[in-house]
Amino acid sequence: MATHLIVVEHTGGKLVKATLSAVAAAQKVGGDIHALVLGNGAADVAKEVAPYAGKVHFGEAAGDRLAQPWAKCVADVAKSLGATHVWAAATGAGKDLMPRVAARLDAGMASDVSAVLDDKTFKRPMWAGNIIGTVEITTTIKVVTTRPTEFAVPAPGAAGEIGAVAVDPGTSKMTWVKFDAVVSDRPALSDARVIVSGGRGVKGPEGFKTVVEPLADVLGAAIGASRAVCDAGWVPNDWQVGQTGKVVAPELYVAVGISGAIQHVAGMKGSKCIVAINKEPEAPIFQVADYGLVADLFKAAPELTVALKAAKG
Amino acid sequence: MKFLVTVKRVTDYEAKIKLKADKSGIVTDGVNMIMNPFDEIGVEEALRQREKHGGEVVIVSIGTSDSTDKIRSALAMGADRGILVKHDGPLDSFAVARVLAKIVDKEKPDVVLMGKQAIDDDSNQAAQMLAELLGWGQATFANIVTLEGGRATVVREADGGLETVSTTLPAVVTTDLRLNEPRYAALPGIMKAKKKPLEEVEIGSLGVDIAAKVKTIAYEEPPAKKAGQKVADVASLVTRLKTEAKVI
């Protein structure tokens, strides 16, 4: 029977919900589910994870989140449990850490999987999501990261047992220096119900302020952006939606002045409802939009903002 | 300081990717092939660091002789020499990391620069695996790289902001989009590149286990999205969102 180890991600003392996609994927394989919480505040986060795992192990001695020492801790715990599968969400942190874990365990790894077929076979997007590959991991231990938008959050069960685990980060070459958070009152892109994204059509940082932000405000939305505008430095790179940015699947995605390059579409086509506003009738974004409005965004977006305000009453 | 930069030949990001009729892979005939864009950023970063610290920039690619072009492109940008590890057929990330570890043993670079992911299989694994195999520190998704006092201090693109980590050298660094804007190779560079050394190594001669730990056993196209509709104006958009899609 399979023994799963879920590497739990947390920030600011809170569980990062994307982790639950890894739990959901492990449940599809079936077997015992262990969760591992490392680093500062791990004991508290363990309580939050307990309803999703049979057993939660926490190891505060792992220290700051750094790929090298954490990979050792994860691999050590995986070995001592006899884990057959080691999972994490395919977030920035998961992508940084898990290949090192795989290398340490001499294990094959499948990145960013979108479906679980059986205990060794997974589907995953390739070529910016233009192709879905089915991959088979041939090693005894399997390392997998899950695409958070592709797995429904599992229902919480009875709280699993929580216990401390001895971890030894070993001698690492790495040290953590600092984290400069992008401060925002808006919901995080990864779990927003509504996202308003701007592209090159917005014309500059000013356009984001005057057109995109007010629309996002009235919708209570997170703000996203295309790679081109992140590249140009109009907005933080953290806002990037696409193959090389974040993959999102909100209930409503409003693309403002986004042409719909393959690499952007790869990150948002899973959204339940897609609205596109673009003045080019031939823009590829209209091929994925449920509702397309061919219009000058500098007129249509503010008009939409006003109409939504009115609709709210 | 010595830099080893990996370069992968991939399908153009603007190309329309299609499945072969027998679904055994993607159609590459007539598809433009480019240097993986993140690798190009890696080459640029190595050149800029060489300008500051002096040293050598070595390019390595794994593939058939078709990859020679992409190594020459990097040499035309200003890199010093190239290594082609000759191999035909699929290779998983772990095998790539093992091959690179061998090249690192031989070349002994201070910094290995790699793209954060190749835009064909999007795995984002090989660099981190390489760092682990070597026992080196890593800094993925780099936004600013500072090499000083035997360390790399790197500002990284992380979820929710920018994280700074530091690691002793040698180290593996992967590039993110905003690290730099790669230069275009000028004609004199292109001419010079033709004469720069390019060594070819048979993968079999490295004595590395390249057996697949991960096999891609099937390819398919994602389910087509049903066609959407154009709306005439903002008012009808709002009505549809409310009554049809029920999202507002």
Side-chain angles (χ1 to χ4, degrees):
Chain A
M1 198 176 64
T3 301
H4 303 280
L5 182 62
I6 314 283
V7 181
V8 176
E9 186 177 339
H10 55 102
T11 178
K14 292 268 180 211
L15 168 70
V16 172
K17 295 285 186 291
T19 296
L20 300 179
S21 65
V23 174
Q27 285 177 347
K28 285 191 199 281
V29 174
D32 290 338
I33 297 186
H34 295 255
L36 174 63
V37 194
L38 294 176
N40 309 324
D44 284 335
V45 178
K47 291 179 204 145
E48 220 184 323
V49 187
Y52 304 97
K55 179 141 198 204
V56 186
H57 312 265
F58 63 93
E60 304 214 328
D64 295 319
R65 183 173 73 200
L66 287 164
Q68 190 175 23
W70 280 37
K72 179 177 181 300
C73 295
V74 172
D76 288 350
V77 174
K79 274 189 236 168
S80 72
L81 291 173
T84 54
H85 294 73
V86 186
W87 304 82
T91 56
K95 290 171 182 175
D96 183 49
L97 172 67
M98 296 305 276
R100 274 198 96 118
V101 172
R104 219 175 157 87
L105 292 170
D106 204 27
M109 171 171 172
S111 298
D112 208 14
V113 307
S114 54
V116 174
L117 300 185
D118 60 36
D119 65 343
K120 61 179 190 306
T121 321
F122 309 90
K123 288 196 182 193
R124 54 176 305 269
M126 297 173 167
W127 282 278
N130 287 297
I131 300 290
I132 307 296
T134 301
V135 297
E136 183 187 314
I137 304 181
T138 60
T139 49
T140 318
I141 304 180
K142 294 153 185 79
V143 176
V144 187
T145 58
T146 51
R147 178 168 280 207
T149 54
E150 298 290 332
F151 296 89
V153 173
E161 192 187 326
I162 298 175
V165 63
V167 288
D168 171 15
T171 44
S172 160
K173 308 280 167 64
M174 301 175 66
T175 47
W176 188 84
V177 180
K178 63 172 180 165
F179 182 67
D180 298 310
V182 175
V183 182
S184 168
D185 300 333
R186 297 181 189 283
L189 260 183
S190 48
D191 45 41
R193 196 188 72 83
V194 181
I195 295 173
V196 179
S197 278
R200 236 190 300 236
V202 173
K203 293 203 168 115
E206 197 53 33
F208 267 85
K209 284 217 164 54
T210 57
V211 178
V212 178
E213 285 188 22
L215 181 55
D217 283 341
V218 69
L219 285 165
I223 298 183
S226 69
R227 170 175 154 175
V229 309
C230 293
D231 246 359
W234 297 358
V235 299
N237 195 52
D238 188 53
W239 290 10
Q240 194 193 135
V241 172
Q243 180 191 18
T244 59
K246 288 197 173 57
V247 177
V248 299
E251 279 181 42
L252 174 61
Y253 189 93
V254 186
V256 180
I258 290 181
S259 64
I262 293 166
Q263 92 88 27
H264 181 77
V265 170
M268 47 65 83
K269 66 181 172 192
S271 306
K272 312 287 174 297
C273 176
I274 298 172
V275 172
I277 303 174
N278 199 303
K279 66 171 191 278
E280 286 301 326
E282 300 306 319
I285 191 75
F286 288 123
Q287 288 165 23
V288 295
D290 297 284
Y291 301 106
L293 178 59
V294 180
D296 175 2
L297 71 90
F298 291 98
K299 287 205 186 87
E303 206 184 312
L304 180 58
T305 306
V306 170
L308 289 169
K309 243 181 225 162
K312 268 176 146 181
Chain B
M1 208 170 287
K2 188 165 175 180
F3 302 89
L4 183 71
V5 188
T6 59
V7 162
K8 186 177 184 185
R9 177 178 181 266
V10 298
T11 47
D12 191 336
Y13 56 88
E14 289 188 278
K16 175 88 188 105
I17 302 298
K18 287 196 190 108
L19 212 53
K20 282 184 189 162
D22 66 358
K23 300 194 174 183
S24 63
I26 63 146
V27 176
T28 50
D29 284 350
V31 173
N32 188 38
M33 302 298 283
I34 59 168
M35 186 193 306
N36 180 40
F38 292 102
D39 296 345
E40 207 171 357
I41 295 171
V43 174
E44 177 65 34
E45 189 61 23
L47 297 175
R48 291 185 192 191
Q49 296 290 351
R50 188 189 62 187
E51 280 157 24
K52 272 188 216 143
H53 304 282
E56 188 184 24
V57 175
V58 181
I59 306 298
V60 60
S61 188
I62 307 172
T64 65
S65 50
D66 289 342
S67 294
T68 309
D69 269 8
K70 305 309 164 201
I71 297 178
R72 292 275 177 217
S73 304
L75 298 178
M77 287 169 72
D80 298 293
R81 61 187 172 89
I83 302 167
L84 172 65
V85 179
K86 289 191 84 173
H87 174 70
D88 194 4
L91 211 54
D92 68 12
S93 301
F94 211 130
V96 168
R98 282 188 161 155
V99 168
L100 292 174
K102 269 280 174 203
I103 302 295
V104 167
D105 279 349
K106 207 175 127 218
E107 293 289 336
K108 305 202 168 22
D110 300 285
V111 182
V112 177
L113 275 156
M114 297 175 69
K116 75 164 177 178
Q117 73 198 61
I119 63 164
D120 48 8
D121 70 14
D122 284 331
S123 278
N124 192 339
Q125 295 180 7
Q128 296 90 314
M129 287 175 165
L130 174 64
E132 182 62 33
L133 293 177
L134 297 168
W136 292 6
Q138 75 183 44
T140 52
F141 322 145
N143 178 272
I144 303 169
V145 177
T146 309
L147 304 174
E148 214 172 57
R151 303 187 71 88
T153 301
V154 177
V155 179
R156 322 174 44 236
E157 307 272 7
D159 296 324
L162 293 171
E163 183 182 57
T164 308
V165 297
S166 173
T167 172
T168 55
L169 296 178
V172 176
V173 175
T174 77
T175 62
D176 215 318
L177 279 176
R178 295 194 302 178
L179 179 58
N180 60 51
E181 212 168 298
R183 69 195 66 188
Y184 288 102
L187 190 60
I190 296 169
M191 298 311 289
K192 260 196 232 164
K194 291 182 181 163
K195 295 194 182 113
K196 288 182 178 172
L198 201 165
E199 178 193 355
E200 293 192 359
V201 182
E202 291 295 334
I203 200 164
S205 73
L206 293 172
V208 178
D209 173 17
I210 56 166
K213 294 179 190 298
V214 181
K215 289 179 185 158
T216 304
I217 55 174
Y219 298 87
E220 64 192 295
E221 274 166 8
K225 202 175 149 60
K226 72 168 175 49
Q229 46 180 313
K230 293 266 170 69
V231 294
D233 51 29
V234 167
S236 57
L237 174 61
V238 173
T239 309
R240 298 262 165 76
L241 290 178
K242 219 187 242 177
T243 58
E244 228 172 61
K246 299 190 172 69
V247 287
I248 57 168

